[in-house]
Amino acid sequence: MSQPLPYVDINPVSAATATVIWLHGLGDSGHGFAPIVPELQLPEDMAIRFVFPHAPERPVTINGGMRMRAWYDIKSMDFDKRADLGGVRESAELVEQLIEAEIAKGVPANRIILAGFSQGGVIALHLGTRYSKTLAGILALSTYLCEPALLANEASDANKHTPIQFGHGTHDDVVPAAMGQAAFQTLQDAGYQVSWKAYAMQHNVCMEEIHDISAWIQARLS
């Protein structure tokens, strides 16, 4: 598990001055969200590099033990036991290596956005609230928190004032909106700078959300 994560990257025309690291959902890969970059219609002069890592392959209990790309195992669909903490911590360490690699290339932490959908969002929230350097923003799409009770003892102050944007579908039957709202409330109660947007969609992204994500990225990195 200590091997660096492979990824798909989309580079700007000029040297990158900012990076978005975007984590996919269960059973997907870095290729899944890569096509969203042109749809975001970000100005070329923002020089944003996108990194879409592939999660490690592992057996997933709720899928009959089938091996697939997953940031962690899901042993139960129960509200409070869905994310396997050991796997979440392992994946968070691997994604932290990706952030550090971007910093080594010359992009400072405060010009890096950590984004994630579903399982990827769990990792983005887990790592983003514990990471020791201040990020530009955290984007949490159709997602939830792993073991929220641990946050108080494990959180770093570095991203206490970092904007965290939640987006969730009102008709999501995979990760019910209530799970996203519970994560939002936990972070808000802990003093984080969170915002919430709901969309008339299922467990996916829609054009309205893509437009909102584009505006949010531009506000964070302009």
Side-chain angles (χ1 to χ4, degrees), residues 30-165:
H31 295 287
F33 271 102
I36 208 169
V37 176
E39 293 187 22
L40 292 169
Q41 297 185 331
L42 296 166
E44 270 189 18
D45 60 7
M46 289 190 74
I48 301 171
R49 167 174 152 84
F50 281 82
V51 175
F52 298 96
H54 306 302
E57 290 190 1
R58 69 180 80 226
V60 176
T61 303
I62 59 157
N63 288 342
M66 189 185 300
R67 287 186 68 84
M68 61 185 65
R69 293 202 180 276
W71 296 108
Y72 50 85
D73 188 19
I74 299 177
K75 296 185 173 76
S76 157
M77 292 300 280
D78 291 351
F79 190 97
D80 56 345
K81 300 188 189 73
R82 191 172 293 198
D84 170 57
L85 181 61
V88 168
R89 286 177 167 156
E90 284 176 3
S91 288
E93 285 180 18
L94 292 170
V95 175
E96 184 171 344
Q97 291 173 22
L98 283 181
I99 297 174
E100 293 297 330
E102 292 303 302
I103 293 170
K105 290 172 186 164
V107 178
N110 66 2
R111 299 281 296 157
I112 296 174
I113 285 174
L114 189 54
F117 175 82
S118 197
Q119 265 207 348
V122 172
I123 304 303
L125 289 173
H126 185 88
L127 174 58
T129 52
R130 291 160 174 79
Y131 187 52
S132 61
K133 297 169 186 169
T134 303
L135 298 166
I138 300 166
L139 188 57
L141 306 174
S142 305
T143 194
Y144 55 100
L145 273 176
C146 171
E147 301 207 18
L150 298 176
L151 184 67
N153 290 328
E154 295 183 0
S156 161
D157 286 337
N159 287 294
K160 224 35 188 307
H161 303 292
T162 297
I164 302 175
Q165 171 75 18

Side-chain angles (χ1 to χ4, degrees), residues 33 117 141-142 167-169 171-172 199-207 209:
F33 271 102
F117 175 82
L141 306 174
S142 305
H168 216 113
H171 309 309
D172 192 332
Y199 302 89
M201 63 181 186
Q202 296 177 329
H203 193 62
N204 57 294
V205 295
C206 62
M207 280 312 301
E209 186 176 32

